[in-house]
Amino acid sequence: MKNVAMVMTIQDPASQRLTWNKPPLSVLVIKKVQDVSVIQPFIDLLSWLIFEKRMVVFVEASVLDDVQLKNNTYFNPVRDKLCTFKEGKDDLTDKIDFIICLGGDGTLLYASSLFQQSVPPVMAFHMGSLGFLAPFEFANFQGQVTSVLEGHVALTLRSRLRCIVVRKNSDSLDKKSHSGVLVLNEVVVDRGPSPYLSNIDLFLDGKHITTVQGDGLIVSTPTGSTAYAVAAGASMIHPSVPAIMVTPICPHSLSFRPIVVPAGVELKIMVSPDARSTAWVSFDGRHQQELKVGDSLKVTMSIYPVPSICAQDQISDWFDSLAECLHWNVRRKQRQFD
Amino acid sequence: MKNVAMVMTIQDPASQRLTWNKPPLSVLVIKKVQDVSVIQPFIDLLSWLIFEKRMVVFVEASVLDDVQLKNNTYFNPVRDKLCTFKEGKDDLTDKIDFIICLGGDGTLLYASSLFQQSVPPVMAFHMGSLGFLAPFEFANFQGQVTSVLEGHVALTLRSRLRCIVVRKNSDSLDKKSHSGVLVLNEVVVDRGPSPYLSNIDLFLDGKHITTVQGDGLIVSTPTGSTAYAVAAGASMIHPSVPAIMVTPICPHSLSFRPIVVPAGVELKIMVSPDARSTAWVSFDGRHQQELKVGDSLKVTMSIYPVPSICAQDQISDWFDSLAECLHWNVRRKQRQFD
Amino acid sequence: MKNVAMVMTIQDPASQRLTWNKPPLSVLVIKKVQDVSVIQPFIDLLSWLIFEKRMVVFVEASVLDDVQLKNNTYFNPVRDKLCTFKEGKDDLTDKIDFIICLGGDGTLLYASSLFQQSVPPVMAFHMGSLGFLAPFEFANFQGQVTSVLEGHVALTLRSRLRCIVVRKNSDSLDKKSHSGVLVLNEVVVDRGPSPYLSNIDLFLDGKHITTVQGDGLIVSTPTGSTAYAVAAGASMIHPSVPAIMVTPICPHSLSFRPIVVPAGVELKIMVSPDARSTAWVSFDGRHQQELKVGDSLKVTMSIYPVPSICAQDQISDWFDSLAECLHWNVRRKQRQFD
Amino acid sequence: MKNVAMVMTIQDPASQRLTWNKPPLSVLVIKKVQDVSVIQPFIDLLSWLIFEKRMVVFVEASVLDDVQLKNNTYFNPVRDKLCTFKEGKDDLTDKIDFIICLGGDGTLLYASSLFQQSVPPVMAFHMGSLGFLAPFEFANFQGQVTSVLEGHVALTLRSRLRCIVVRKNSDSLDKKSHSGVLVLNEVVVDRGPSPYLSNIDLFLDGKHITTVQGDGLIVSTPTGSTAYAVAAGASMIHPSVPAIMVTPICPHSLSFRPIVVPAGVELKIMVSPDARSTAWVSFDGRHQQELKVGDSLKVTMSIYPVPSICAQDQISDWFDSLAECLHWNVRRKQRQFD
């Protein structure tokens, strides 16, 4: 008999499917702001969820102030049935069974930001926007939502990164810094408005790995590999791969190829002590703040992914979005014997 | 309470360590061929394993025919104590507790090829060759091997790909085809000696994903991402990431960026029906064979990895080899206020 | 007054236009082989040139053996008026005023190969093939050819590379080797059918510049920068730029970026003395031959370009072909406020 | 006889050499600021030029205020012999025969900025800084400067780009805008501090070529191809090639490869009318200014290059700097039969 038998467990992506413990009752609907074209679909969806499906429907409180909705007579019967919440004030934890987004990747990024721990399954309709994270078309939404409510669908668990900024001079971490910010695409450290190259030190599990001299550094999830990272030259990673991607932005070094590291590592990023200027950090393109010499950014993978409902399945959805959004390997076919 | 709580399990790479069920007794030693400089280290190692450590030591039968060894008087006392085997004839399964390689990546690729199922842990000394897969230095080998025998070491489980060629006209799969070939780096489908571009169809889980028009296609493990794939432009993936990398070779399409897919998918590669010429497939750079129209190549991740013993740990070993072998991000530092 | 006044002459690409010394009388027509769809256009063009324009029309002798033409009744009246020549036998120098190609880049490459010194202006119709070198559409060919005959057109002078293979053991250069081969796209030195990496030494003006370890090396004209070189990662160079491009194929080194050198340098390429295997050289994808240790390949820019007639002008033609053939920067536009 | 004989003139880079019309009498010496290590070499050089070579030596007026120099007793005898000028106030045209720079690429960029028309030949000592534009070592400066004064040296004519910002609402161009700014490396249009992607329209000779969606766009000289452009993925172009390089910065499109266009074209860059935000333009990393919707930037190649004196020759100097500054194709050699 073998002394040590080394066998790996390999997960079939097709095995990740949505399973409800009990029939879902409450739904949060998020719509794109400042886009007139989603007003009518939004009302249609709310009406159907409330009056046909008898569900408890949540929307953001500020939605009710939308002038486009206020003046819409179809919205009146819906308005009174809605539950509302305010971001940063009301706690949604354990109140929402699933989420519907109307309007492109921005709405899903917003949904992600609302849930800093476990996230309910999200069904995202792209509504004509670029749909990397939003695979569903709105036509015949009733049939599609019904399928989801019945649990007949595939899921992609999109991992998120927990980012914590540790300030040099803070004796104790304040609560918000401690819990950190979750990003679905990427955290970027760059030179911001400075004309000088960044000098950024990268550590993995406490070890100094390399120094980035260039415009900056992107730490992204596999989901984010097709966002800013791909523009900076990264390979594209399917969102189900448990990994963290590190991509330099315009590095001064010819040999600084992007790298992909295991999901379980801790990254630390600091402005080099001998850097000429500070750096700037932003989270999914938002909340930009300065990172001074001595400050550091810690990044780990969160155990709370965004469960993103597939229109078809994990593989088809991803390759469809590569073709649709990035024209991946779209080419004119060469004729035979040309 | 939440209807569905989505939480991911994230493995810490530092948690993968070697654990012996019982003290290891048998060891297979593989040495680089046609390299005089490894002869003396080889004899020193064998002597020490046999006479100091009282282990059962296996070598390949053909090694005994090596003229350099035959004429070496130090080898005589060792020779009689050795167990031998012949590749393709003797079954090593369950006989070997661990493996020591002397001489660079080639020896580890060879060790991998000997074990088509479970592989014993491998300790590889680079002996001055390029050492992506061989992190150990031979100086003070006694202390290092003793540490391994005592189980005080980190492991990297290097995944392998099972590759099966299915011929168009074979009614039934012959046994060898059926079990397939395992590769540790990559399987390559290219135009071989043909001057024409390849036209290769790629399928994932049965779906046609894209067509490659170019010099060919590399399907690699994360270990192989730093071999041929990196030369073809791929990002570099740590060997612990459970994923399969697909990299085109000189694609005619500007937008054909490499992709990384989950470990659990099945890939199928076929010469396009309208291709002008056939293609050629090779496995870890060996066993090149023609792939005709109608033939197909199936690739899945094997459950049998190569357990590769770390000199330090998973993270340090990998970044050291990136710097050493690929000069990754090695650059002259810009002076301040230059 | 200045001691030395340094001023450069900068040529406006729009200034390169076709000017006839005397009205053109003779035309060589080249058609794509093995393509039924060009038969009728071919006959239509010949008839018009002979009976309407009263020109002397040359075709290759082998064309008359084409079964498709023999059986075509429209071809009979044309046949008797044609002048013919045999490649490698009849000298076309000074006999041809201009050239018309029917059928894609291959026909222009062929036209180039017929004229090893000065080349008459070439008008190339793409006939539905990929048209990097063939910008004209055949519909309304009469108006377009008439414009060319009247000299109302822009020209792109496409530089060619003169390639001379010098064998190690040849006491004196034979005549053919001495004059060399002219390529319009590129000369490639690669590992051919060998599984080993190439080791190729590159010299410029007699100085050893670098050693290529990888699949091979492409030396291309700016015209060729959009052919094999672009697949290997090169930037794209407008054909009017006087330069030579050197692009490695899958180099083992991360930092081996393609380079562009001045038109006036001499390149020499040799298999490294310590290479494990020989290399193979091919010229515009043809005439593959082995390059052994000690042999060398010399490459210089020829003073005889291919004068390629523009459909619009140098700039528009090139960017149209980038978009059409390579989908250069074709992308879905992001919506506002998405 | 041929109707039209098409022959190209190909310039040998080795033919560009420095020739003095009369012995050079006046020299401008520029030193790196804020670097103590160049103080003593600066004084040594000035003394030697004044007392040994009897030349008229110019320095910037502000240099005399340098505290390091004021307190240096060796500087006193030199000080009184110096001619001074003030940037933007005194006209140097026709007063300077050649220029000596002490201290890296920055000093040569500064020298370039002082001469908006014809530039005297420049000899640049790198003084330990990154020396792409500064090939000379200071040890034995006397022999090297003497060689230059005698005219025994090769020259590289480094082309510059004339950049003119045209404001939407300016009825007439003011004088400074009209003459424009000359850059030696590159002009960059990017998103500046804005978090949004740029949308930039690119025109060549008045034709709309493409729209850049990404971090920005670099228009560079061949000299600049090894500066910011190479970090953004461009191929490297020898400074003698008459061409303009256009390189996108992190483009959203996978297929947006850098391009190289002939020296004679006019480029125009505008913020797209439907862009979400304005853009920022900077010239050789300086003078950053906002580019609003409707403003445009015109770029053409100047007829006034920077004549840069070679330490060896055009080819050797360039490849030495590629190896030294960018580690171009530096790699560990693979051993035979590894």
Side-chain angles (χ1 to χ4, degrees):
Chain A
M1 205 200 72
K2 232 9 172 328
N3 190 328
V4 186
M6 298 285 183
V7 177
M8 293 168 81
T9 310
I10 298 168
Q11 192 182 28
D12 179 1
S15 68
Q16 284 184 327
R17 301 191 68 80
L18 179 59
T19 313
W20 299 108
N21 297 332
K22 51 182 197 225
L25 295 175
S26 61
V27 57
L28 166 63
V29 181
I30 293 170
K31 80 163 184 61
K32 191 177 172 184
V33 291
Q34 293 180 290
D35 186 340
V36 179
S37 71
V38 301
I39 294 291
Q40 195 54 49
F42 180 64
I43 298 172
D44 293 347
L45 175 67
L46 294 182
S47 301
W48 183 79
L49 289 168
I50 292 168
F51 300 112
E52 296 287 323
K53 289 290 170 178
R54 303 287 163 185
M55 294 189 77
V56 178
V57 179
F58 282 79
V59 299
E60 242 181 317
S62 62
V63 166
L64 301 187
D65 302 331
D66 190 320
V67 179
Q68 304 281 347
L69 282 175
K70 273 184 175 167
N71 300 337
N72 192 312
T73 51
Y74 298 101
F75 186 59
N76 288 335
V78 172
R79 177 191 307 271
D80 301 337
K81 306 286 186 181
L82 292 172
C83 302
T84 64
F85 75 97
K86 288 187 178 166
E87 190 191 353
K89 207 170 162 190
D90 296 315
D91 187 6
L92 288 172
T93 313
D94 302 343
K95 287 190 182 145
I96 306 292
D97 282 327
F98 91 119
I99 302 172
I100 296 178
C101 290
L102 297 187
D105 292 1
T107 54
L108 198 121
L109 287 169
Y110 179 69
S112 166
S113 73
L114 292 176
F115 294 83
Q116 291 285 313
Q117 296 203 351
S118 179
V119 187
V122 187
M123 181 183 195
F125 292 91
H126 60 70
M127 313 305 286
S129 298
L130 277 177
F132 241 111
L133 303 174
F136 286 94
E137 291 203 34
F138 195 73
N140 185 28
F141 71 89
Q142 299 91 337
Q144 298 188 84
V145 176
T146 301
S147 282
V148 170
L149 295 175
E150 290 170 353
H152 301 315
V153 285
L155 267 190
T156 298
L157 296 185
R158 297 184 179 275
S159 60
R160 299 192 287 179
L161 297 173
R162 182 171 298 280
C163 307
I164 302 176
V165 174
V166 182
R167 297 293 175 191
K168 184 184 183 182
N169 294 318
S170 61
D171 286 345
S172 59
L173 297 167
D174 57 89
K175 189 172 169 296
K176 195 192 165 179
S177 289
H178 191 62
S179 61
V181 181
L182 289 181
V183 297
L184 180 55
N185 274 330
E186 74 278 294
V187 55
V188 175
V189 179
D190 62 20
R191 61 183 168 91
S194 161
Y196 295 106
L197 294 176
S198 294
N199 262 287
I200 299 166
D201 286 322
L202 174 67
F203 299 81
L204 251 78
D205 285 349
K207 296 183 186 86
H208 181 259
I209 296 303
T210 200
T211 299
V212 185
Q213 199 177 9
D215 277 3
L217 189 71
I218 304 164
V219 179
S220 64
T221 62
T223 293
S225 74
T226 50
Y228 193 12
V230 87
S235 297
M236 295 172 297
I237 308 178
H238 187 278
S240 287
V241 173
I244 300 175
M245 181 155 225
V246 178
T247 306
I249 309 171
C250 295
H252 192 70
S253 158
L254 293 182
S255 60
F256 201 160
R257 200 68 72 78
I259 55 172
V260 182
V261 295
V265 302
E266 182 191 76
L267 292 94
K268 189 173 74 174
I269 293 168
M270 294 185 77
V271 178
S272 296
D274 58 347
R276 295 185 204 179
S277 57
T278 62
W280 292 77
V281 58
S282 63
F283 307 90
D284 278 344
R286 306 199 310 170
H287 308 304
Q288 200 178 28
Q289 53 189 273
E290 202 172 1
L291 206 63
K292 295 188 178 164
V293 174
D295 298 342
S296 63
L297 170 72
K298 286 191 183 181
V299 184
T300 50
M301 183 163 286
S302 164
I303 58 168
Y304 302 113
V306 174
S308 178
I309 298 171
C310 301
Q312 300 174 69
D313 57 69
Q314 282 201 10
I315 298 301
S316 302
D317 275 30
W318 192 58
F319 282 101
D320 284 356
S321 64
L322 290 186
E324 177 79 7
C325 304
L326 290 174
H327 295 282
W328 180 68
N329 196 26
V330 171
R331 83 242 115 72
R332 226 182 109 177
K333 228 175 163 176
Q334 198 176 18
R335 283 168 45 154
Q336 283 187 281
F337 301 111
D338 183 7
Chain B
M1 205 202 71
K2 220 68 181 267
N3 190 327
V4 185
M6 297 288 183
V7 177
M8 292 168 81
T9 309
I10 298 170
Q11 194 182 25
D12 179 1
S15 67
Q16 284 185 328
R17 302 190 67 81
L18 180 59
T19 314
W20 300 109
N21 297 334
K22 51 180 198 233
L25 295 175
S26 60
V27 56
L28 167 62
V29 180
I30 293 170
K31 80 162 184 64
K32 192 177 172 184
V33 291
Q34 292 182 290
D35 186 339
V36 178
S37 71
V38 301
I39 293 290
Q40 195 54 49
F42 180 63
I43 296 172
D44 292 347
L45 175 67
L46 294 184
S47 301
W48 183 79
L49 289 169
I50 292 169
F51 299 113
E52 298 285 324
K53 289 289 167 179
R54 305 286 163 185
M55 295 189 77
V56 178
V57 179
F58 283 78
V59 299
E60 239 181 318
S62 63
V63 166
L64 302 187
D65 302 332
D66 190 318
V67 179
Q68 304 280 349
L69 283 175
K70 273 185 175 165
N71 300 337
N72 192 311
T73 51
Y74 298 101
F75 187 58
N76 287 336
V78 171
R79 179 191 305 272
D80 301 338
K81 306 286 186 181
L82 293 171
C83 302
T84 63
F85 74 96
K86 289 188 178 164
E87 190 190 353
K89 206 168 162 193
D90 295 316
D91 187 8
L92 288 171
T93 312
D94 301 342
K95 287 191 182 145
I96 306 292
D97 282 328
F98 92 117
I99 302 173
I100 297 178
C101 289
L102 298 186
D105 292 2
T107 53
L108 198 123
L109 288 169
Y110 179 69
S112 166
S113 73
L114 291 177
F115 294 84
Q116 292 286 311
Q117 296 203 350
S118 180
V119 187
V122 187
M123 180 182 196
F125 292 91
H126 58 70
M127 313 307 286
S129 297
L130 277 176
F132 241 112
L133 303 173
F136 286 94
E137 292 203 35
F138 195 71
N140 184 28
F141 71 88
Q142 298 92 337
Q144 298 188 83
V145 176
T146 301
S147 282
V148 171
L149 294 176
E150 290 170 353
H152 301 315
V153 285
L155 267 189
T156 298
L157 296 185
R158 297 184 179 275
S159 59
R160 299 193 288 180
L161 297 173
R162 182 171 299 282
C163 307
I164 301 176
V165 174
V166 182
R167 298 292 174 192
K168 185 185 184 182
N169 295 320
S170 60
D171 285 347
S172 59
L173 298 167
D174 57 89
K175 188 171 171 294
K176 194 192 164 179
S177 291
H178 191 61
S179 61
V181 181
L182 289 182
V183 296
L184 179 56
N185 273 331
E186 74 278 293
V187 55
V188 175
V189 179
D190 63 19
R191 60 182 167 90
S194 161
Y196 295 107
L197 293 176
S198 294
N199 261 287
I200 298 166
D201 286 322
L202 174 66
F203 300 81
L204 253 78
D205 286 349
K207 297 184 186 82
H208 181 259
I209 295 303
T210 200
T211 299
V212 184
Q213 199 177 9
D215 278 2
L217 190 72
I218 303 164
V219 180
S220 65
T221 63
T223 293
S225 74
T226 50
Y228 193 13
V230 87
S235 297
M236 295 172 297
I237 309 178
H238 188 278
S240 288
V241 174
I244 299 174
M245 181 154 225
V246 179
T247 306
I249 308 170
C250 295
H252 192 70
S253 158
L254 293 182
S255 60
F256 199 160
R257 199 69 71 81
I259 54 171
V260 181
V261 295
V265 303
E266 183 192 78
L267 292 93
K268 190 173 73 173
I269 293 167
M270 295 185 76
V271 178
S272 295
D274 58 348
R276 293 184 207 178
S277 57
T278 61
W280 293 77
V281 58
S282 63
F283 308 91
D284 277 344
R286 305 199 311 170
H287 308 305
Q288 198 177 30
Q289 53 189 273
E290 201 172 2
L291 207 62
K292 295 189 177 163
V293 173
D295 298 342
S296 63
L297 170 73
K298 287 190 180 179
V299 184
T300 50
M301 183 162 287
S302 165
I303 58 168
Y304 302 114
V306 174
S308 178
I309 298 172
C310 300
Q312 299 174 71
D313 57 69
Q314 282 200 9
I315 297 302
S316 302
D317 275 29
W318 192 58
F319 282 101
D320 283 355
S321 64
L322 290 186
E324 177 81 7
C325 305
L326 291 174
H327 294 281
W328 180 69
N329 195 27
V330 171
R331 83 242 115 72
R332 228 181 108 175
K333 228 175 164 175
Q334 198 175 20
R335 286 166 43 151
Q336 283 187 282
F337 302 110
D338 184 6
Chain C
M1 205 202 73
K2 216 69 176 271
N3 192 327
V4 185
M6 299 286 184
V7 177
M8 294 169 80
T9 310
I10 298 168
Q11 193 182 28
D12 180 0
S15 68
Q16 284 184 328
R17 300 191 67 82
L18 180 59
T19 314
W20 299 108
N21 297 334
K22 53 182 196 226
L25 296 175
S26 61
V27 56
L28 167 62
V29 181
I30 293 170
K31 78 163 186 62
K32 191 177 173 184
V33 292
Q34 293 182 290
D35 186 340
V36 179
S37 71
V38 300
I39 294 290
Q40 195 55 49
F42 180 64
I43 297 171
D44 293 348
L45 175 67
L46 294 183
S47 301
W48 183 79
L49 289 168
I50 292 168
F51 299 113
E52 297 285 323
K53 289 290 169 179
R54 304 288 164 183
M55 295 188 78
V56 179
V57 179
F58 283 78
V59 299
E60 242 180 317
S62 63
V63 166
L64 302 187
D65 302 332
D66 189 319
V67 179
Q68 305 279 348
L69 283 175
K70 273 185 174 166
N71 301 337
N72 191 310
T73 51
Y74 297 102
F75 187 57
N76 288 334
V78 170
R79 177 191 307 269
D80 302 337
K81 306 285 186 181
L82 292 172
C83 301
T84 62
F85 74 97
K86 288 186 179 166
E87 191 191 353
K89 207 169 160 190
D90 296 316
D91 187 6
L92 288 171
T93 312
D94 302 341
K95 287 192 182 145
I96 306 292
D97 281 328
F98 92 118
I99 303 172
I100 297 177
C101 290
L102 298 187
D105 292 2
T107 53
L108 197 122
L109 287 170
Y110 179 69
S112 166
S113 73
L114 290 176
F115 295 84
Q116 292 285 313
Q117 296 203 351
S118 180
V119 187
V122 187
M123 180 184 195
F125 293 92
H126 59 70
M127 313 306 286
S129 298
L130 277 176
F132 241 110
L133 303 174
F136 286 93
E137 293 203 32
F138 195 73
N140 184 29
F141 70 90
Q142 299 92 338
Q144 297 189 83
V145 176
T146 300
S147 282
V148 172
L149 294 175
E150 291 170 353
H152 301 316
V153 285
L155 266 189
T156 299
L157 295 185
R158 297 184 179 274
S159 59
R160 298 192 287 179
L161 296 173
R162 183 171 298 280
C163 308
I164 301 177
V165 173
V166 182
R167 297 293 174 191
K168 184 185 184 181
N169 295 318
S170 61
D171 285 344
S172 59
L173 297 167
D174 58 271
K175 189 172 169 294
K176 196 192 165 180
S177 290
H178 191 64
S179 61
V181 180
L182 289 181
V183 298
L184 180 56
N185 273 332
E186 75 278 294
V187 54
V188 176
V189 179
D190 63 18
R191 60 182 168 90
S194 161
Y196 295 106
L197 294 176
S198 294
N199 261 288
I200 298 167
D201 286 322
L202 174 66
F203 300 81
L204 251 79
D205 285 349
K207 297 183 187 83
H208 181 258
I209 296 304
T210 200
T211 299
V212 185
Q213 201 177 6
D215 277 1
L217 189 70
I218 304 165
V219 180
S220 65
T221 62
T223 294
S225 73
T226 49
Y228 194 12
V230 86
S235 297
M236 295 172 298
I237 308 178
H238 187 278
S240 288
V241 174
I244 301 174
M245 181 155 225
V246 179
T247 306
I249 309 171
C250 295
H252 192 70
S253 158
L254 292 182
S255 60
F256 200 161
R257 199 69 69 80
I259 55 171
V260 182
V261 295
V265 303
E266 183 192 76
L267 293 93
K268 190 174 74 174
I269 293 167
M270 295 184 76
V271 178
S272 295
D274 57 348
R276 295 185 204 179
S277 57
T278 61
W280 292 78
V281 58
S282 62
F283 307 91
D284 278 345
R286 305 198 310 170
H287 308 304
Q288 200 177 29
Q289 53 188 276
E290 202 172 3
L291 207 62
K292 296 189 176 163
V293 174
D295 297 342
S296 63
L297 170 73
K298 287 190 181 180
V299 184
T300 50
M301 183 162 288
S302 165
I303 59 167
Y304 302 113
V306 174
S308 177
I309 298 171
C310 300
Q312 301 174 71
D313 58 68
Q314 282 200 10
I315 298 302
S316 302
D317 275 30
W318 192 58
F319 283 102
D320 284 357
S321 64
L322 290 186
E324 177 80 6
C325 305
L326 291 174
H327 294 282
W328 179 69
N329 195 27
V330 171
R331 84 243 114 71
R332 225 181 110 176
K333 231 174 161 176
Q334 198 176 18
R335 284 167 44 152
Q336 284 186 280
F337 301 110
D338 182 8
Chain D
M1 206 200 69
K2 213 97 187 235
N3 191 328
V4 186
M6 298 285 184
V7 177
M8 293 169 82
T9 310
I10 298 168
Q11 194 182 26
D12 179 0
S15 67
Q16 284 184 329
R17 300 191 69 80
L18 180 58
T19 313
W20 299 108
N21 297 332
K22 51 181 197 231
L25 296 174
S26 61
V27 56
L28 166 61
V29 181
I30 293 169
K31 78 163 187 64
K32 192 178 173 184
V33 292
Q34 293 181 291
D35 186 339
V36 179
S37 70
V38 301
I39 294 291
Q40 194 55 50
F42 180 63
I43 298 171
D44 293 347
L45 175 67
L46 295 183
S47 301
W48 183 79
L49 289 169
I50 291 169
F51 299 112
E52 297 285 324
K53 289 289 169 180
R54 305 288 163 181
M55 295 189 77
V56 178
V57 179
F58 284 78
V59 300
E60 242 181 317
S62 62
V63 166
L64 302 187
D65 302 331
D66 190 317
V67 178
Q68 304 281 348
L69 283 175
K70 274 185 175 165
N71 300 337
N72 192 310
T73 52
Y74 297 101
F75 187 58
N76 288 334
V78 171
R79 179 191 306 271
D80 301 338
K81 306 286 186 181
L82 293 172
C83 302
T84 64
F85 74 96
K86 289 187 178 164
E87 191 190 352
K89 206 170 163 191
D90 297 315
D91 187 6
L92 288 171
T93 312
D94 303 341
K95 286 192 184 144
I96 305 291
D97 282 327
F98 90 119
I99 302 171
I100 297 178
C101 289
L102 298 187
D105 292 2
T107 54
L108 197 124
L109 288 168
Y110 179 69
S112 167
S113 73
L114 292 176
F115 295 84
Q116 292 285 311
Q117 296 203 352
S118 180
V119 187
V122 188
M123 181 184 194
F125 293 91
H126 58 71
M127 312 307 286
S129 297
L130 276 176
F132 241 112
L133 303 174
F136 286 93
E137 293 204 33
F138 195 72
N140 184 28
F141 70 88
Q142 298 92 336
Q144 298 188 82
V145 176
T146 301
S147 282
V148 171
L149 295 175
E150 290 170 353
H152 302 314
V153 286
L155 268 188
T156 298
L157 296 185
R158 298 184 178 276
S159 59
R160 300 192 288 178
L161 297 174
R162 183 170 298 283
C163 308
I164 301 176
V165 174
V166 182
R167 298 292 174 192
K168 185 185 183 181
N169 295 320
S170 61
D171 285 345
S172 59
L173 297 168
D174 58 89
K175 188 173 170 295
K176 195 191 162 179
S177 291
H178 191 62
S179 61
V181 181
L182 289 182
V183 296
L184 180 56
N185 273 331
E186 75 277 295
V187 54
V188 176
V189 180
D190 63 19
R191 59 183 168 89
S194 160
Y196 295 106
L197 293 177
S198 294
N199 261 288
I200 298 166
D201 286 322
L202 174 67
F203 299 80
L204 252 77
D205 285 348
K207 299 183 184 82
H208 181 259
I209 296 302
T210 200
T211 299
V212 185
Q213 200 177 8
D215 277 3
L217 189 72
I218 303 164
V219 180
S220 64
T221 63
T223 292
S225 73
T226 49
Y228 193 13
V230 85
S235 297
M236 295 172 299
I237 308 179
H238 187 278
S240 287
V241 174
I244 300 174
M245 181 155 225
V246 179
T247 306
I249 308 170
C250 295
H252 192 70
S253 158
L254 292 183
S255 60
F256 200 160
R257 199 68 71 81
I259 55 171
V260 181
V261 296
V265 303
E266 184 192 78
L267 292 93
K268 191 174 73 174
I269 294 167
M270 295 184 75
V271 178
S272 295
D274 57 349
R276 293 184 206 181
S277 57
T278 60
W280 293 77
V281 59
S282 63
F283 308 90
D284 277 343
R286 306 199 309 170
H287 308 304
Q288 199 177 30
Q289 52 189 274
E290 200 172 3
L291 207 62
K292 296 188 177 164
V293 173
D295 298 342
S296 62
L297 170 72
K298 286 191 181 179
V299 184
T300 51
M301 183 162 287
S302 164
I303 59 167
Y304 302 114
V306 173
S308 178
I309 298 172
C310 300
Q312 300 175 70
D313 58 69
Q314 282 201 9
I315 298 302
S316 302
D317 275 30
W318 192 58
F319 282 102
D320 284 356
S321 65
L322 290 185
E324 178 80 6
C325 305
L326 291 173
H327 295 280
W328 180 68
N329 196 27
V330 171
R331 82 242 117 71
R332 228 182 107 175
K333 228 174 163 177
Q334 198 176 19
R335 284 166 45 150
Q336 284 187 281
F337 301 112
D338 184 4

